Amino acid sequence: MKFPLKIYDNYSLVQKNTLGLPSIARYYAEVNSVAELQTALVFARERQLPVIPLGGGSNVVLGDFLDALVVHVNLKGRTVLSRDPDCVRVRAEAGENWHEFVLWSLDNQACGLENLSLIPGNVGAAPIQNIGAYGVELTDYFLSLEAINLETGLVEDFDRQRCGFGYRDSVFKREKRDQYIIVSVTLDLDVTLKPNLGYGQLGDLLARRLGNKSPSAIDISQAVCDIRREKLPDPSEVGNAGSFFKNPEVSQSEMDRLKQAYPDIVAYPLGQNWKLAAGWLIDQAGLKGVREGCVGTYQKQALVLVNHGGATGRDVLSFSRQVQQRVNDKFGVQLEREPRLYMEDVDKIIR
């Protein structure tokens, strides 16, 4: 069968992932519409190939060779669907850059995403990870999404309940893993700003800048960007995948144990439990700014693993395991990786 969509073989992905890892896809296609994506899925089904969706490439660790069809989801479009006195309903296609979408929403007097400014990646990846920062998560404003079923090629709707959101988690990382590709996301944003300033350095920075003046959504977005730029490396300069580990959750009894041993431990209440600052744990384990070969932790933020040049996916995975072991040895706490790992055997994804 002749396919109208351009599909490349033995395609280099080194420029398609923010860690800058060398990786070759057996097949690669860039899709700009739902119809093109459906065509790509037919190609993969006929050859019995796994399908790996790729957006901004910011939350993945790629192996040397991916025996699969890698699909770059490049669907574009941002729309204000409706507006009433309390809510602005917006829709974005999966290939839109997340940060540009946030700025667009603020330009359209739609508030809520300002704390999520400058998170790397595209809109389509946001629900998979249930991205969050500075006390706000995507689920707080999520209405629905559309996703293509890889087996049937049909578009299905997912509401919040069906997505099964959790902390940096969703049904797309669990029981629906590798079964769907997200093509659009719809959010209900606020007409009136409801500032969330109680997490991390954000409130302190805005107080220094504005005094007693109430911040605007733009003020909050700019402050978040400044904090992130100060702590996190630019992938165009230093290969990285952003925060590499989740902030671990512990029980009250476990928190009491840790607090007794480490009075300065950084943690935040989370219902009946506590969320620990993974970066602090890694730092206190003596791993901030450490380098082993081509891989290391960022000197300004231990939560970020960086490729100093020449690293492979296996190098990153090996170093991340050493970080997990050191933290577990010192604190008795197990860190969980955030990025999705695609190694050589794509049918045996390393979790």
Side-chain angles (χ1 to χ4, degrees):
M1 178 178 178
K2 182 175 175 60
F3 284 87
L5 178 67
K6 179 64 176 177
I7 297 177
Y8 301 87
D9 57 2
N10 294 316
Y11 189 89
S12 172
L13 301 173
V14 69
Q15 298 296 326
K16 302 294 184 180
N17 71 99
T18 60
L19 267 165
L21 301 174
S23 181
I24 300 294
R26 181 179 176 187
Y27 294 105
Y28 171 88
E30 180 178 298
V31 299
N32 299 291
S33 67
V34 169
E36 288 187 352
L37 177 52
Q38 291 168 326
T39 298
L41 296 182
V42 171
F43 177 91
R45 280 197 297 271
E46 290 187 352
R47 289 157 180 79
Q48 298 183 316
L49 289 168
V51 176
I52 297 177
L54 198 62
S58 62
N59 202 45
V60 294
V61 180
L62 304 181
D64 296 339
F65 181 76
L66 304 182
D67 190 12
L69 171 63
V70 175
V71 178
H72 180 207
V73 181
N74 197 39
L75 284 68
K76 301 291 188 179
R78 302 173 299 206
T79 308
V80 175
L81 297 176
S82 64
R83 184 185 297 270
D84 63 34
D86 298 315
C87 172
V88 183
R89 182 164 294 176
V90 299
R91 169 186 164 120
E93 306 307 303
E96 288 287 341
N97 175 270
W98 173 259
H99 179 59
E100 292 177 4
F101 170 59
V102 171
L103 297 183
W104 172 87
S105 71
L106 298 180
D107 286 343
N108 281 275
Q109 291 74 54
C111 305
L113 303 182
E114 52 278 350
N115 289 44
L116 305 182
S117 297
L118 212 61
I119 291 179
N122 290 353
V123 167
I128 298 173
Q129 188 78 356
N130 184 24
I131 59 173
Y134 301 102
V136 175
E137 291 184 327
L138 178 76
T139 186
D140 299 332
Y141 294 95
F142 180 87
L143 178 67
S144 64
L145 62 80
E146 293 179 322
I148 286 188
N149 185 311
L150 298 189
E151 183 176 349
T152 67
L154 300 177
V155 177
E156 298 181 21
D157 294 322
F158 285 75
D159 59 13
R160 180 186 284 110
Q161 182 176 1
R162 192 180 179 195
C163 286
F165 290 123
Y167 170 60
R168 301 299 176 270
D169 195 23
S170 73
V171 70
F172 302 105
K173 296 178 73 173
R174 303 188 309 269
E175 54 267 36
K176 300 298 184 184
R177 186 184 181 100
D178 299 323
Q179 297 179 33
Y180 290 87
I181 293 179
I182 295 170
V183 295
S184 73
V185 177
T186 300
L187 306 177
D188 277 347
L189 302 179
D190 296 325
V191 171
T192 303
L193 175 64
K194 301 171 184 175
N196 188 329
L197 308 178
Y199 200 92
Q201 307 166 254
L202 186 55
D204 292 340
L205 176 58
L206 285 165
R208 292 197 301 272
R209 288 182 174 180
L210 302 175
N212 295 325
K213 179 184 174 184
S214 297
S216 67
I218 295 295
D219 290 330
I220 296 171
S221 174
Q222 290 175 343
V224 167
C225 290
D226 290 341
I227 293 171
R228 292 184 68 89
R229 289 188 179 108
E230 174 64 26
K231 296 197 307 183
L232 304 175
D234 184 340
S236 67
E237 298 175 1
V238 181
N240 74 93
S243 298
F244 202 89
F245 300 99
K246 296 181 181 180
N247 291 322
E249 183 178 338
V250 298
S251 66
Q252 181 65 59
S253 61
E254 185 70 359
M255 183 63 197
D256 292 341
R257 177 188 70 81
L258 289 166
K259 188 72 173 176
Q260 184 174 8
Y262 306 97
D264 296 330
I265 191 169
V266 179
Y268 305 93
L270 186 68
Q272 300 298 313
N273 296 326
W274 289 82
K275 184 162 55 174
L276 306 179
W280 187 90
L281 297 174
I282 298 168
D283 190 354
Q284 295 301 306
L287 292 172
K288 187 175 183 179
V290 167
R291 175 173 178 174
E292 181 175 297
C294 300
V295 186
T297 52
Y298 188 50
Q299 59 186 357
K300 295 183 179 180
Q301 172 53 271
L303 191 56
V304 177
L305 302 192
V306 296
N307 175 9
H308 290 288
T312 67
R314 295 288 176 184
D315 294 333
V316 173
L317 176 59
S318 175
F319 184 81
S320 73
R321 286 173 170 162
Q322 293 180 50
V323 173
Q324 289 172 308
Q325 188 63 53
R326 286 277 290 273
V327 169
N328 195 37
D329 289 345
K330 184 174 179 66
F331 297 101
V333 173
Q334 182 64 41
L335 295 181
E336 183 179 349
R337 290 181 295 266
E338 280 198 29
R340 179 70 187 272
L341 305 180
Y342 292 104
M343 311 310 283
E344 281 72 6
D345 298 323
V346 295
D347 60 331
K348 299 176 182 178
I349 300 298
I350 301 172
R351 296 178 182 271

